[in-house]
Amino acid sequence: MPGFLTRRISNSERLRGGPLIITTQTGFPPNFLNRINLSSEVELQVPPLVPSEIEEVLLNLGCENERRRKIWGLVIQGQTHGHPQLVLAMARRVQAESWPEPIRPTKKPIDLSEVRREARRLLHEKLPSEPARTLAFRLSILSQPFRRDDALSIAKHPPSVDLPGEAFDLLVGPWIEQEGEGYFRISPLLESAAAEVWPKDEVTKLHLTVAEGILNCGQLTYCEASIILQHGLEAGAPSPVLPIASFFAHARGATAGKIAPYFSWFVGSKLGPDEVLLPNNIALSSFLRASQFEFACELSPKGLAPLVAQRWEDEIARSGQADLAVLNRCGFLVGTLVRMDVPFPTPILIQRVLEASKLASSGMFRQFFIERDKGPIHPDGRRCPT
């Protein structure tokens, strides 16, 4: 088949006398470029499409409404990470619906599961290495950039992957994409593949392995801290979350503005009426809500910040520990009253000022600042070391 394909391509190029573009998901067969008299320099890794390029795709497919085209460009980029194959699949789905309003209460995300199922089938066909396929499925739960040593740590999840370095190298290119210096990202085609084919309890264990494994890798940056927090919360595990919460406790003010972009996903996490960040540790969960509110103030002060504040207040009420609840309430009042950029209703602000005055006269505010500087609370009642 490769020989037949080579002859067909050579004939097409000669007959047309013009440029020829060949696209592939898994890379060219061995010596393919040599057979058609081309060097490896002509091979390019296609970068993700940016919103403006996606808008051009939508325009070519007939979306003439400029406003909807711009919004759909952002929506599609967010859901597909700009992967060309997924962009086209999603654009055609929207085209089939006659370019509906992108943002409305009943709007559901476009289903791309069929395209991703095809990608998983291709993974089995084109990748004979069972260890590489296993590692690909494990890494598919990572939605953020990761390092090679992070991936090798995840390979140790029982049962451990044989020859993890070799398995990882086989995936780089078609299934794992380079993301800046020293970082990689799983292809959007494989995103959440593990969650679709493995039992829920196995995926939960894998989330814990990711959080603990990356925490133990050392040399942590904001990128790694974000991954640890995300997967620690997914696993419902306080242990890997505690060091990140402790870091948040000492990253206030200007520092919060600097690190907030790395935790943009966290700002919109678990904001439903009955959702709790860590159901099995309400004290730590409430502590994290304070940082979530700070990040929301930096990234979405008028949009998400008021909603995060509401969830923070709800979790304080659920703590079940009177003294701790009062201290957390002090933190809530201080944290929300100093943020003048968040549009809280005037009656609520007046109510909080009166409550804060009452607590200040009782000496609780002084106790709050002492307790706050000690850091978050460990599940067994100890303070998390900073």
Side-chain angles (χ1 to χ4, degrees), residues 252-371:
R252 296 187 173 90
T255 307
K258 179 181 177 181
I259 69 175
Y262 293 91
F263 296 88
S264 57
W265 63 268
F266 180 48
V267 171
S269 182
K270 298 191 178 182
L271 296 179
D274 298 318
E275 290 187 298
V276 178
L277 287 173
L278 274 173
N280 56 354
N281 191 328
I282 297 297
L284 180 56
S285 188
S286 176
F287 195 93
L288 285 170
R289 287 290 190 193
S291 298
Q292 187 184 32
F293 175 73
E294 280 197 78
F295 296 154
C297 290
E298 298 294 335
L299 301 176
S300 182
K302 292 180 172 58
L304 290 177
L307 182 55
V308 174
Q310 182 61 59
R311 297 289 83 82
W312 182 12
E313 191 172 22
D314 292 344
E315 289 194 24
I316 291 172
R318 290 193 184 107
S319 68
Q321 303 176 48
D323 292 343
L324 184 60
V326 172
L327 290 173
N328 283 336
R329 186 69 187 174
C330 291
F332 173 79
L333 294 173
V334 171
T336 56
L337 286 173
V338 299
R339 296 306 304 225
M340 304 303 294
D341 50 344
V342 180
F344 293 116
T346 301
I348 288 180
L349 288 174
I350 294 173
Q351 178 185 341
R352 289 175 184 168
V353 168
L354 293 174
E355 183 181 358
S357 299
K358 182 179 179 180
L359 288 172
S361 63
S362 68
M364 288 304 298
F365 267 31
R366 178 175 175 276
Q367 180 65 19
F368 158 70
F369 286 110
I370 293 174
E371 293 295 323

